[in-house]
Amino acid sequence: MRTGCRIVVGLLLALPLVMQGPVRAQPEPPPPGLGIRLLEVPVAAADDPRANVYIVDHVAPGAVVSRQVEVINGEQERVSVLAYPAAAQVADGAFSAAEGRGSNELAGWMTVQPDALDLGPGERGVLQVTIRVPADAADGERFAVVFAERPDAADADGVSIALRAGIRVYLSVGEGPEGTSDFSIQTFVAGRDPAGERVLAAKVLNTGERTLDLTGELVLTSGSLTVGPLDVDEPVTIRPGEATDTTVRLGEEVPAGEWLARLTLRSGLVERSADGVVQVPALSAVVTDGMPDAVAATMVPAPPEVDAAAPRPSRDRGGAVALSLMLLVVVGALLGATYRRRR
């Protein structure tokens, strides 16, 4: 989340639990920093990884949404923590929170109780987050963040900063069932980014009715050589009907040349894969603006039942064809010689 130069985003613990009440004890000590996590997930979303990390819901106008959130002090000193909702937006493939306590419509519907915690080293506190949707609320999806903030932190130079950790909120309002979540991988190319680093960039289109958070990985195959999985550089957030680029950094481990690429992306329970042939540029190529060495991939969407361990097409097929032709020539010559001797 982009929160400004004086805001340091704290640790967001992705260790959700499906339960009716809060967790009071954890056997393992918390990692350093200020942490925050969900303690409650709707039973219907228990298997959805995204709903286990963020508050993701679809409700009718007039509904009340309630979640419990845990705040963890991973420092070796007692800290005072403020808790509050703040506005957020999705633009250019990113989810970003407002500076400070900036508000929007969804943040105005939210309350966080208590609004302050005093936590000793390793201690945990529970927040009750309540969203009261007005009966006349218009249909649509809205975004906000639940923040836990330590306002008295300071950097190495003694400059006062605010250390905060947050949980995203994606709330869809409307009568009837929740809209579908889906996306498609349109194209991808291998080349260089403006900084000169070798990357694979994929164009992804949100074809569903809910905002998505995409993560995933890339596997490259050439003959018997396989590289990966390589993780997507940064998660991207896409609103319905919008398209954005997601990138995978190839680094120096991928030799230049032609590769069969399989890119797999997912958001929650939705996963899509696509195959294509890409030309990875040489490490010594001249760096210019854009991606001059990129070659458009021939996209082949992978069906869900594709076996990842199945044999892949390789560049050795040309050699196999040539060898077959040579064998045919040799056999023909032998048959001709035998026929002449018999005559």
Side-chain angles (χ1 to χ4, degrees):
M1 290 174 286
R2 303 169 184 174
T3 54
C5 60
R6 294 259 180 202
I7 300 297
V8 179
V9 178
L11 177 66
L12 174 60
L13 299 180
L15 302 174
L17 298 176
V18 180
M19 55 184 305
Q20 297 300 318
V23 173
R24 296 299 181 185
Q26 294 288 335
E28 71 281 357
L34 182 64
I36 188 171
R37 69 173 184 175
L38 281 176
L39 289 180
E40 293 179 320
V41 178
V43 174
D47 297 328
D48 187 340
R50 186 165 172 259
N52 276 254
V53 178
Y54 307 138
I55 298 176
V56 183
D57 218 331
H58 170 76
V59 298
V64 177
V65 178
S66 182
R67 296 283 193 279
Q68 286 192 334
V69 171
E70 184 179 61
V71 179
I72 308 103
N73 175 20
E75 300 297 331
Q76 299 301 312
E77 59 184 354
R78 179 170 292 276
V79 298
S80 295
V81 179
L82 304 178
Y84 56 89
Q89 66 173 354
V90 174
D92 299 324
F95 184 105
S96 57
E99 299 284 349
R101 299 197 181 202
S103 186
N104 62 4
E105 190 175 34
L106 176 54
W109 299 345
M110 299 171 62
T111 58
V112 181
Q113 294 294 330
D115 59 4
L117 295 169
D118 186 62
L119 302 175
E123 285 188 351
R124 303 162 186 262
V126 176
L127 304 174
Q128 187 72 41
V129 179
T130 304
I131 307 173
R132 301 183 184 277
V133 183
D136 60 351
D139 293 355
E141 191 171 16
R142 298 162 174 85
F143 314 100
V145 183
V146 178
F147 274 122
E149 178 184 319
R150 180 185 172 187
D152 58 347
D155 63 15
D157 297 325
V159 178
S160 178
I161 60 174
L163 176 69
R164 67 180 187 177
I167 293 178
R168 300 181 184 186
V169 182
Y170 298 79
L171 186 69
S172 169
V173 177
E175 299 287 354
E178 180 179 6
T180 60
S181 293
D182 204 355
F183 66 93
S184 64
I185 303 173
Q186 301 289 295
T187 59
F188 55 71
V189 295
R192 296 179 180 278
D193 65 10
E197 293 191 51
R198 302 191 306 167
V199 299
L200 182 140
K203 179 73 70 177
V204 184
L205 173 66
N206 184 341
T207 59
E209 302 167 284
R210 291 298 306 267
T211 298
L212 304 174
D213 293 295
L214 294 176
T215 59
E217 60 277 337
L218 171 72
V219 175
L220 296 170
T221 306
S222 179
S224 61
L225 180 61
T226 298
V227 178
L230 305 174
D231 291 335
V232 167
D233 188 30
E234 291 183 359
V236 295
T237 305
I238 317 177
R239 302 188 68 165
E242 295 183 353
T244 191
D245 290 330
T246 183
T247 60
V248 180
R249 297 192 182 279
L250 303 178
E252 298 183 1
E253 61 181 305
V254 182
E258 186 178 276
W259 291 82
L260 174 62
R262 162 163 287 202
L263 180 66
T264 301
L265 299 175
R266 64 187 62 86
S267 177
L269 296 174
V270 182
E271 180 175 301
R272 299 287 179 264
S273 296
D275 294 335
V277 178
V278 296
Q279 190 74 26
V280 176
L283 287 169
S284 59
V286 177
V287 177
T288 59
D289 291 337
M291 298 177 65
D293 298 310
V295 177
T298 303
M299 300 298 299
V300 181
E305 65 273 16
V306 166
D307 183 0
R312 303 289 189 189
S314 73
R315 298 171 60 189
D316 297 328
R317 290 179 298 181
V321 172
L323 179 60
S324 299
L325 291 174
M326 291 176 62
L327 288 174
L328 289 174
V329 172
V330 172
V331 171
L334 290 174
L335 290 175
T338 301
Y339 176 73
R340 286 193 297 271
R341 283 199 301 271
R342 288 180 178 178
R343 293 190 62 185

